[in-house]
Amino acid sequence: MKRTSRDIRTANRYEVLRQIIAASPTSRQELAAATGLSLATVATLVGELLDLSMITEVGFEDSAGGRPRGLVAVNASGGALIGVDIAETYVHVELFDLGLNVLARAEEDVRPGESLPEQVIGHVAAVVGQVVAQAGIEGARVLGVGVSVPGQVDRDTGFCEYAPNWDWHDVPLLDLLTEHIAYPLYLDNPLRASAVAELWFGAARGRGNAVVVNLGTGVGAGLVLGGGLHRGVSNSAGEWGHTTIVLDGRVCRCGKHGCVEAYVGASGIMLNLRELSPGSPLLHQDDQTATIAALAEGLRQNDPVALGTLRDTVRYLGAGIANLVNLFNPEVIVLSSWVAAALGEPLVEEVREAVARHALPRPMAATEIVLSPIPTDPVCLGAATFALEGALQSVGQKSPKRSITPARAKTPNPR
Amino acid sequence: MKRTSRDIRTANRYEVLRQIIAASPTSRQELAAATGLSLATVATLVGELLDLSMITEVGFEDSAGGRPRGLVAVNASGGALIGVDIAETYVHVELFDLGLNVLARAEEDVRPGESLPEQVIGHVAAVVGQVVAQAGIEGARVLGVGVSVPGQVDRDTGFCEYAPNWDWHDVPLLDLLTEHIAYPLYLDNPLRASAVAELWFGAARGRGNAVVVNLGTGVGAGLVLGGGLHRGVSNSAGEWGHTTIVLDGRVCRCGKHGCVEAYVGASGIMLNLRELSPGSPLLHQDDQTATIAALAEGLRQNDPVALGTLRDTVRYLGAGIANLVNLFNPEVIVLSSWVAAALGEPLVEEVREAVARHALPRPMAATEIVLSPIPTDPVCLGAATFALEGALQSVGQKSPKRSITPARAKTPNPR
Ligand SMILES: [Zn+2]
Ligand SMILES: [Zn+2]
């Protein structure tokens, strides 16, 4: 609970940079108004960011009757950030400038058989190399690489404690990545990454309370509470996919029964389809991507089996999202990740109706339900912001004794 | 998201007073360390609280090698606070001094037929009068009355939007209370009140993330996230009792099916008992209090029907609490309210085992599950702290235009 003045200073520096990135050019006065910090504090933090060449002075604006105000903007070419979205079926990587504009992107498939950490990391290293080459930038300009892993991650030790898709347990992922990637690395998971992306650039911008529902192979919720990311005490909050919605129901890949994910994750949806119409041509055995794409196309053509599968899925999804509305009383629920993007508006419309049937009227009245408006991969974007946050902490450190180091420096070496 | 410097000052003043109440006597240095505020800020806030006679100087302590440090303590007789716990079956009221020590308490039963707001308010007015008379204090010393209502409350308008037990909809409760009670009134609900009580004095003290599970007639969760109370955007977060755990399951008094409350609220437990052993002498028809008391006594005597009913109840309760562990990743889950207090340790032990079966290992490893350690009624205590918070905001207000007024000043009068 207790934050040192150093923590607060780092958080404030990050918050000011975030505001500048979100709305360049801007004045110190606007930054003070947007952050709630005093003008003097903002001026100090802006000075630090200028010294770091992360922002630049870009001129003046007239203020009504007063002195012209100096404007600052992000120095987009002041550095590069890389976001890595390790998903169950692909590794997608994007390289950003400091304004968080995409300069390069690349992707490789992860095939069903490839479940060893070394196989997955091989893809990551290859794709990171590709985006740096594509962007044609010097390695020294890469401030950091944020890596999202579909599982539970200990950010301090750099271990992936559990990744259900590949049955990984206690994998020293950061150590393994460090053998192939020379840039500072910051691990987290897609729930946190997509929530931060919405908070900075998407549907949660300016909202104090938002829940970002990730619908992909895995399912979970990123939590924005009180204006910031809620991580929980061991960075594993948001495991909505493994909350029980049908006591003693379908078996889930986590080993429990009746989890939300077992009904609304990509393989849950495939099972809903198979139960509705076992021989449906929409069903591509062992291929989630192809099946979800076929379902999306079926919805566009009002195919009754596609519509029925959507309805069956939303029966569970609506009740599960209503649970989030009743518990968190958020301003907005954002549907994100590849399954939500593929099924699109037909999904959102069904979900809105179903949630309204299940949620209590008062929290329901306060909640909007929308698709993620972020045009690119929100997980890459969020992972890149984690790298930026890490880089800002590193530059701020003076005394090694009290410093917050990149996670890998603390990684115990089990070999 | 944006907080004005005035909001921050009010919150800091409250936080400093809270620390002084929790650990009197204390020094400004200790307060700075405990709150993360600068010594200069603490000194200013302490000065304000001294001016308000809410705290007093109580001497000096030696500091190693330095100047002796001035100590301050709460001025317990500087005012009185009243906490009102309107529950479905009783109205319990406690009167506190500023150190939040109980000076008087009184209670009246609310009988099953009494469902009109006027009937319930009649009990509240009577019991508030009793505690003031018992304590023998002047009315002018009562700084405020916090009132907890078992339902959804709009703190700004003073309306009770929904109270399921009496089927109240949009009752102008604050207006009705104001006709009978002359002290400043502050409305909220038991989820928030019990969470704040744990945060100040109970199992959530010093914890950043805690969930207080209320098990009574109604069921819900008070949320302490990031060191503070999470209210949600319309003060209705924490409705865990109405999250779905058995899709299409038992009908709940909210009208939905399969809610947690339908299985683990007092009437849900009675139904579990009836299903297990329809003619059991433990079952007191239409009397929750007597039935839960009989079950508690049965557990002490290892009565097989009592043990079976506990096991059946915990089958649902364990899965429901595991959902909270997976979603919030808290440090502690506190079991509170009268059903939890009555069933006690046998309940907690069963719950711990059941939650461990359902929750993911990583968040589970970080979570303790305990009974509320607060010896008195946590809801009264929490409601009294809301009155204290309200009183601190009122004293701080200078300009009426920007002031935060007690809720009733904003109440539209529908009559
Ligand atoms: Zn699961
Ligand atoms: Zn219900």
Side-chain angles (χ1 to χ4, degrees):
Chain A
M1 291 176 69
K2 196 173 118 190
R3 300 204 307 167
T4 65
S5 50
R6 188 194 148 76
D7 294 338
I8 292 168
R9 191 186 183 89
T10 300
N12 287 345
R13 191 196 293 128
Y14 184 58
E15 181 63 20
V16 165
L17 181 57
R18 169 182 152 178
Q19 290 292 339
I20 296 171
I21 291 173
S24 279
T26 185
S27 65
R28 290 163 183 78
Q29 288 77 5
E30 283 170 348
L31 289 169
T35 58
L37 297 170
S38 73
L39 190 56
T41 302
V42 166
T44 305
L45 298 169
V46 163
E48 292 174 6
L49 293 168
L50 285 167
D51 290 346
L52 292 166
S53 298
M54 287 179 144
I55 62 173
T56 49
E57 303 266 14
V58 292
F60 295 88
E61 67 172 3
D62 286 338
S63 67
R67 285 189 306 176
R69 294 170 167 180
L71 295 174
V72 292
V74 68
N75 177 21
S77 61
L81 300 160
I82 295 175
V84 178
D85 176 9
I86 305 180
E88 287 88 344
T89 54
Y90 58 84
V91 172
H92 185 85
V93 175
E94 298 185 353
L95 186 145
F96 300 84
D97 66 20
L98 270 196
L100 290 168
N101 308 296
V102 181
L103 299 184
R105 55 167 61 93
E107 181 170 318
E108 287 190 2
D109 285 344
V110 177
R111 282 171 293 274
E114 299 182 301
S115 62
L116 293 177
E118 289 72 16
Q119 293 172 309
V120 173
I121 287 167
H123 288 298
V124 174
V127 190
V128 166
Q130 287 170 37
V131 292
V132 174
Q134 249 187 63
I137 60 160
E138 287 172 54
R141 285 188 40 222
V142 177
L143 299 179
V145 181
V147 180
S148 165
V149 187
Q152 297 190 327
V153 172
D154 189 317
R155 302 202 312 157
D156 293 329
T157 65
F159 272 63
C160 173
E161 293 213 345
Y162 177 52
N165 198 61
W166 301 304
D167 201 32
W168 290 358
H169 293 269
D170 295 315
V171 171
L173 201 59
L174 200 57
D175 266 11
L176 297 173
L177 283 164
T178 303
E179 291 174 11
H180 296 90
I181 297 172
Y183 316 116
L185 289 160
Y186 305 91
L187 284 193
D188 217 308
N189 89 0
L191 304 182
R192 252 72 67 192
S194 60
V196 163
E198 297 299 333
L199 184 60
W200 280 51
F201 296 106
R205 203 168 146 184
R207 309 284 183 98
N209 295 290
V211 178
V212 180
V213 168
N214 277 29
L215 297 174
T217 304
V219 159
L223 308 173
V224 173
L225 303 173
L229 195 58
H230 176 72
R231 295 184 169 281
V233 65
S234 58
N235 198 41
S236 46
E239 291 292 350
W240 171 71
H242 303 287
T243 59
T244 304
I245 196 158
V246 183
L247 197 70
D248 302 325
R250 257 187 210 171
V251 72
C252 178
R253 60 179 178 160
C254 77
K256 296 196 307 153
H257 287 260
C259 294
V260 169
E261 185 177 293
Y263 299 93
V264 311
S267 22
I269 296 174
M270 285 176 73
L271 189 47
N272 299 341
L273 168 56
R274 191 175 296 128
E275 287 182 354
L276 182 72
S277 172
S280 169
L282 301 175
L283 196 61
H284 296 245
Q285 203 64 36
D286 288 332
D287 192 337
Q288 297 178 358
T289 320
T291 305
I292 298 296
L295 263 179
E297 184 54 34
L299 291 177
R300 277 188 288 275
Q301 298 175 3
N302 287 313
D303 175 274
V305 171
L307 291 168
T309 303
L310 180 67
R311 211 161 35 235
D312 290 352
T313 301
V314 170
R315 204 164 76 83
Y316 303 98
L317 183 57
I321 293 181
N323 286 354
L324 296 172
V325 171
N326 285 349
L327 270 174
F328 293 100
N329 185 204
E331 292 169 80
V332 63
I333 300 261
V334 188
L335 304 185
S336 184
S337 198
W338 66 273
V339 171
L343 301 182
E345 275 304 326
L347 173 75
V348 181
E349 279 168 35
E350 288 276 339
V351 163
R352 283 192 193 114
E353 277 181 42
V355 174
R357 281 195 302 274
H358 281 280
L360 293 176
R362 185 170 166 85
M364 186 65 214
T367 304
E368 224 187 322
I369 301 176
V370 300
L371 274 182
S372 170
I374 296 174
T376 173
D377 180 333
V379 173
C380 285
L381 183 56
T385 70
F386 290 140
L388 179 57
E389 189 177 15
L392 274 184
Q393 286 177 336
S394 306
V395 294
Q397 73 194 50
K398 292 280 153 55
S399 142
K401 259 175 78 185
R402 299 200 50 206
S403 70
I404 298 154
T405 50
R408 64 178 167 163
K410 289 188 200 159
T411 310
N413 192 329
R415 277 156 294 144
Chain B
M1 290 176 69
K2 195 173 118 189
R3 301 205 307 168
T4 65
S5 49
R6 189 193 147 76
D7 293 339
I8 292 168
R9 192 185 181 89
T10 300
N12 287 344
R13 190 197 291 129
Y14 184 57
E15 182 63 20
V16 166
L17 181 56
R18 170 183 150 177
Q19 290 292 338
I20 296 171
I21 291 174
S24 280
T26 184
S27 66
R28 288 161 184 79
Q29 288 77 5
E30 283 170 347
L31 289 168
T35 58
L37 297 170
S38 73
L39 191 55
T41 302
V42 167
T44 305
L45 297 170
V46 163
E48 290 174 5
L49 293 168
L50 285 167
D51 290 346
L52 293 166
S53 298
M54 287 179 144
I55 63 173
T56 50
E57 302 267 14
V58 292
F60 295 89
E61 68 171 2
D62 287 338
S63 68
R67 286 189 304 173
R69 293 170 168 181
L71 295 175
V72 292
V74 67
N75 177 21
S77 60
L81 299 161
I82 295 175
V84 178
D85 176 10
I86 305 181
E88 287 88 344
T89 54
Y90 58 83
V91 172
H92 185 85
V93 176
E94 299 184 352
L95 186 146
F96 301 84
D97 67 19
L98 270 195
L100 290 169
N101 308 297
V102 180
L103 299 184
R105 54 167 62 95
E107 182 169 316
E108 289 191 1
D109 285 346
V110 177
R111 282 171 294 273
E114 299 182 301
S115 62
L116 293 178
E118 288 71 15
Q119 293 172 310
V120 173
I121 287 168
H123 288 298
V124 174
V127 190
V128 166
Q130 287 169 38
V131 291
V132 174
Q134 248 187 64
I137 60 158
E138 288 172 53
R141 285 186 41 221
V142 177
L143 298 180
V145 181
V147 180
S148 164
V149 187
Q152 297 191 327
V153 172
D154 188 318
R155 302 203 312 157
D156 293 330
T157 64
F159 272 63
C160 174
E161 294 213 345
Y162 177 52
N165 197 61
W166 302 303
D167 201 30
W168 290 358
H169 294 271
D170 294 315
V171 171
L173 201 59
L174 200 57
D175 266 11
L176 297 174
L177 284 163
T178 302
E179 292 173 10
H180 295 89
I181 297 171
Y183 316 117
L185 289 159
Y186 305 91
L187 285 192
D188 216 309
N189 89 359
L191 304 182
R192 251 73 67 193
S194 59
V196 163
E198 297 299 332
L199 185 59
W200 280 51
F201 295 105
R205 204 169 145 182
R207 308 286 182 99
N209 295 291
V211 177
V212 179
V213 168
N214 277 30
L215 297 174
T217 304
V219 160
L223 308 173
V224 173
L225 302 174
L229 195 59
H230 176 72
R231 295 184 168 280
V233 65
S234 57
N235 197 42
S236 47
E239 291 291 351
W240 171 72
H242 303 287
T243 60
T244 303
I245 197 159
V246 183
L247 197 70
D248 302 324
R250 255 187 211 173
V251 72
C252 177
R253 59 179 180 161
C254 76
K256 295 197 305 152
H257 287 260
C259 294
V260 169
E261 185 177 292
Y263 299 93
V264 312
S267 25
I269 297 175
M270 284 176 73
L271 189 47
N272 299 341
L273 167 56
R274 193 175 295 129
E275 286 181 354
L276 182 70
S277 172
S280 169
L282 300 175
L283 195 61
H284 296 244
Q285 203 62 37
D286 288 333
D287 191 337
Q288 297 178 359
T289 321
T291 306
I292 298 297
L295 263 178
E297 183 54 34
L299 291 176
R300 275 187 289 275
Q301 297 176 3
N302 287 314
D303 174 274
V305 172
L307 291 169
T309 303
L310 179 68
R311 210 160 36 234
D312 290 352
T313 301
V314 170
R315 204 164 76 83
Y316 303 98
L317 183 57
I321 292 181
N323 286 355
L324 296 172
V325 171
N326 286 350
L327 271 174
F328 293 100
N329 186 204
E331 292 169 80
V332 63
I333 300 261
V334 187
L335 304 184
S336 185
S337 197
W338 66 272
V339 171
L343 302 182
E345 274 306 325
L347 173 75
V348 182
E349 279 168 33
E350 288 276 340
V351 163
R352 281 192 194 115
E353 276 181 41
V355 174
R357 280 195 302 274
H358 281 281
L360 294 176
R362 184 169 166 87
M364 187 64 214
T367 304
E368 224 187 323
I369 300 175
V370 299
L371 273 182
S372 170
I374 296 175
T376 172
D377 180 334
V379 173
C380 285
L381 182 56
T385 70
F386 290 141
L388 178 58
E389 188 177 15
L392 274 183
Q393 285 177 336
S394 306
V395 295
Q397 72 195 51
K398 292 280 154 52
S399 141
K401 260 176 74 185
R402 300 201 49 206
S403 70
I404 298 156
T405 51
R408 63 176 168 165
K410 289 188 202 159
T411 310
N413 192 329
R415 274 156 296 145

